[in-house]
Amino acid sequence: MGRLKGKVAIVTGASGGIGRAITREFLEEECVVIGFNYVSSAESTHEGLYYEYVVDITDRVAVEGAVKDVINKFGRVDILINNAGITKDNLIYRMSYEEWDSVINTNLTGAFNMIKATIREIVKNEGVIINISSVVGLEGNIGQANYAASKAGLIGLTKSLAKEFGRKNVRANAIAPGFIETPMTEKLPEDIKKAALEKISMKRFGKPEEVAKLVKFLVLDGTYINGQVIVIDGGMEL
């Protein structure tokens, strides 16, 4: 029997590389997983354990309505994984306001919207919140001011959540992946990938499953870990 059997987790961006791996890890634990995706995916129902909502997480009203429906249908929410994220890279002097706003609204405000809509239920169930940040949120990166700001904001949000709700036995942690083999990194030019590999002591990109296993550890076994940022980057020099 999975230790998460009977629990309900919401995973944003569940159809992406890391999100899909997290979903599968939780399904192996017999957890009910609710995927909040911007567009519909081809993910199967996994014997009645996976359900999908097509939701724009930047739309507060849509998020609140979807979360209420989840609670009505499944009776609870125990775990929130804020994984959804986008990039619109550009140097600051070329970056448009739309490129700034869309990344901040999806990566940071979207996470806030999800937390705001679920927090009472998570507190009631002494649940867990995991925010997927990035090493870029810790170190910054050329051409990614919007993405770095959004991921740094997630770290500040995580630490504030831990302080506010730790007394309620709710844990909030952030994970900061480095280069992971996802559709997002596949789009990178080959010279960028090569330069990145030279900075990674393990000389390879991480796998989505490695991030997902860390998420599961923090949910299941990291019962005294709160307000932390866990870097998973293969030993990368920035």
Side-chain angles (χ1 to χ4, degrees), residues 157-179:
L157 177 58
T158 301
K159 290 181 176 291
S160 297
L161 286 170
K163 287 180 168 61
E164 286 189 28
F165 297 103
R167 70 192 71 182
K168 302 288 188 181
N169 288 322
V170 171
R171 291 180 293 112
N173 291 292
I175 292 174
F179 283 90

Side-chain angles (χ1 to χ4, degrees), residues 12 23 50-51 54-55 68 77 85 105 107-108 123 129 152 160 166 184 203 232-233:
T12 68
T23 295
Y50 178 78
Y51 301 86
V54 177
V55 184
K68 284 180 182 177
V77 175
N105 287 341
N107 299 3
L108 181 56
V123 167
I129 298 170
S160 297
M184 190 180 291
K203 301 304 176 188
I232 175 168
D233 66 0

Side-chain angles (χ1 to χ4, degrees), residues 101-118:
D101 288 343
S102 61
V103 170
I104 295 295
N105 287 341
T106 299
N107 299 3
L108 181 56
T109 305
F112 171 79
N113 292 342
M114 291 299 306
I115 293 163
K116 183 77 170 173
T118 58

Side-chain angles (χ1 to χ4, degrees), residues 111-130:
F112 171 79
N113 292 342
M114 291 299 306
I115 293 163
K116 183 77 170 173
T118 58
I119 191 62
R120 293 184 185 277
E121 189 69 17
I122 289 174
V123 167
K124 183 173 77 174
N125 296 316
E126 298 185 354
V128 181
I129 298 170
I130 305 289

